[in-house]
Amino acid sequence: MAKEMSRIGSSEGFQPVSLKREEDDQPSETDQLSMEEREPETEVPVPKQISRLPSVVESALYPNPYHKPYLSRKYFVTRPGVIETAMEDLKGHITKTSGETIQGFWLLTEIDHWNNEKERILLITDKTLLICKYDFIMLCCVQFQWIPLSAIYRICLGKFSFPAMSLDKRQGEGLRIYWGSPEQQSLLVRWNPWSTEMPFATFTEHPMKYTSEKFLEICKLSGFTSKLVPAIQNTHKNSTESGRGKGLTVLTEPILIETYTGLMSFIGNRNKLGYSLARGSIGF
């Protein structure tokens, strides 16, 4: 017994024992991967950094992360040089016809009294609000609507509203400009979808607002309003015309679009028929 205890107490009995299991002697999968990656010194893959690059570039080019760039290419107005050509055409036309100074240029969407969307260019001069229907495919102006600033007496800002029984409602906010009384219009004018005699115009922001910084500036409804209101006020102040009491009223209230079934606007707006849009090849 003493001999056995002496053996245990001797240095021979204390051998260093590894706590690893036998299966731990084999390199783990992560160790093998790290060894394989370290063998070729020239190849150092960084998958995490590469995967982040597309999202960083996308957020830098397109401020709205939900905007898909391939959709913007369908709109002719976003193609290189198109909006600049339209601006030069309209500047030349105003110089020849009235000689007034242009104070601003905007690209907005007009919403008519039947809830149809229409792509429009708006210009503010010293005395006039110009609403232009421009063909961005043929690069020519199709229709002008001249509205004297002195005739505008009310501006409404707010969310769109519809009758309770309406089947085609839209979300969002808009701006409505009045230069006449809607109550004085006949039923034939009010219920005619092609009527151009409505004494008001309704606008909202263009869907290509977030395409670039340039379009963000000219498609912003707040920027248009901030220029339009003081221009009208200055015109009323300097106007010598008699008649209706001068002054501009700016209200914040819902903008009523009095449509019920809305079948025409449902088809037109879903297919963007009011925009100059590439609609694909027809031939073979």
Side-chain angles (χ1 to χ4, degrees):
M1 187 62 133
K3 291 181 180 181
E4 290 178 1
M5 292 179 63
S6 62
R7 287 181 184 176
I8 295 175
S10 65
S11 60
E12 294 179 357
F14 290 90
Q15 298 295 332
V17 179
S18 175
L19 297 178
K20 289 185 177 181
R21 296 174 296 178
E22 293 181 0
E23 58 185 12
D24 293 337
D25 293 337
Q26 299 296 330
S28 63
E29 294 181 1
T30 55
D31 294 335
Q32 290 179 355
L33 291 174
S34 61
M35 291 171 62
E36 291 175 0
E37 291 175 357
R38 284 196 295 268
E39 286 178 2
E41 296 180 359
T42 58
E43 297 181 5
V44 184
V46 190
K48 291 185 179 180
Q49 295 181 0
I50 294 176
S51 63
R52 292 196 187 100
L53 287 177
S55 61
V56 173
V57 174
E58 184 178 357
S59 62
L61 292 178
Y62 304 98
N64 185 354
Y66 301 102
H67 180 74
K68 298 180 180 179
Y70 72 89
L71 292 178
S72 66
R73 302 188 191 108
K74 298 175 63 177
Y75 290 79
F76 279 86
V77 69
T78 63
R79 299 191 175 186
V82 172
I83 194 67
E84 289 80 6
T85 301
M87 293 173 67
E88 291 300 322
D89 289 347
L90 294 175
K91 287 179 181 178
H93 179 79
I94 292 176
T95 301
K96 292 180 181 179
T97 55
S98 64
E100 298 180 10
T101 303
I102 298 176
Q103 299 183 11
F105 179 101
W106 289 269
L107 175 69
L108 299 175
T109 295
E110 182 179 3
I111 302 172
D112 67 9
H113 59 295
W114 275 54
N115 198 28
N116 296 301
E117 295 181 0
K118 301 175 181 180
E119 194 173 35
R120 293 291 183 264
I121 294 177
L122 282 80
L123 292 93
I124 299 175
T125 68
D126 299 333
K127 299 179 180 179
T128 309
L129 171 63
L130 177 64
I131 303 174
C132 174
K133 177 183 178 182
Y134 196 89
D135 187 346
F136 293 104
I137 300 176
M138 300 301 297
L139 298 178
C140 63
C141 188
V142 178
Q143 182 182 1
F144 280 107
Q145 187 176 9
W146 298 80
I147 304 169
L149 295 179
S150 58
I152 300 174
Y153 68 96
R154 185 170 64 175
I155 292 178
C156 293
L157 300 164
K159 296 182 178 180
F160 296 109
S161 65
F162 291 79
M165 299 299 294
S166 179
L167 300 178
D168 184 28
K169 300 179 180 180
R170 79 166 49 244
Q171 303 296 323
E173 299 180 350
L175 164 74
R176 177 167 288 177
I177 305 168
Y178 292 89
W179 57 87
S181 177
E183 291 77 11
Q184 297 178 357
Q185 300 298 311
S186 64
L187 289 177
L188 180 61
V189 172
R190 294 175 61 185
W191 294 104
N192 180 6
W194 297 280
S195 175
T196 58
E197 301 179 10
M198 300 302 295
F200 61 85
T202 308
F203 299 96
T204 189
E205 293 181 337
H206 194 278
M208 293 295 101
K209 174 183 175 181
Y210 291 105
T211 304
S212 65
E213 292 294 334
K214 174 180 63 180
F215 281 93
L216 182 63
E217 185 67 24
I218 65 175
C219 298
K220 191 182 296 183
L221 195 62
S222 59
F224 170 69
T225 307
S226 64
K227 277 286 187 179
L228 179 63
V229 171
I232 296 173
Q233 291 173 341
N234 291 333
T235 304
H236 281 262
K237 185 186 302 182
N238 301 326
S239 177
T240 58
E241 297 178 1
S242 59
R244 184 177 52 208
K246 297 179 182 180
L248 173 67
T249 303
V250 181
L251 303 174
T252 301
E253 63 181 13
I255 299 175
L256 176 64
I257 300 179
E258 198 172 359
T259 59
Y260 292 89
T261 56
L263 181 60
M264 289 180 58
S265 61
F266 178 84
I267 297 173
N269 295 341
R270 298 308 185 277
N271 294 280
K272 301 295 182 183
L273 298 182
Y275 299 87
S276 296
L277 203 67
R279 306 189 186 277
S281 58
I282 300 176
F284 296 94

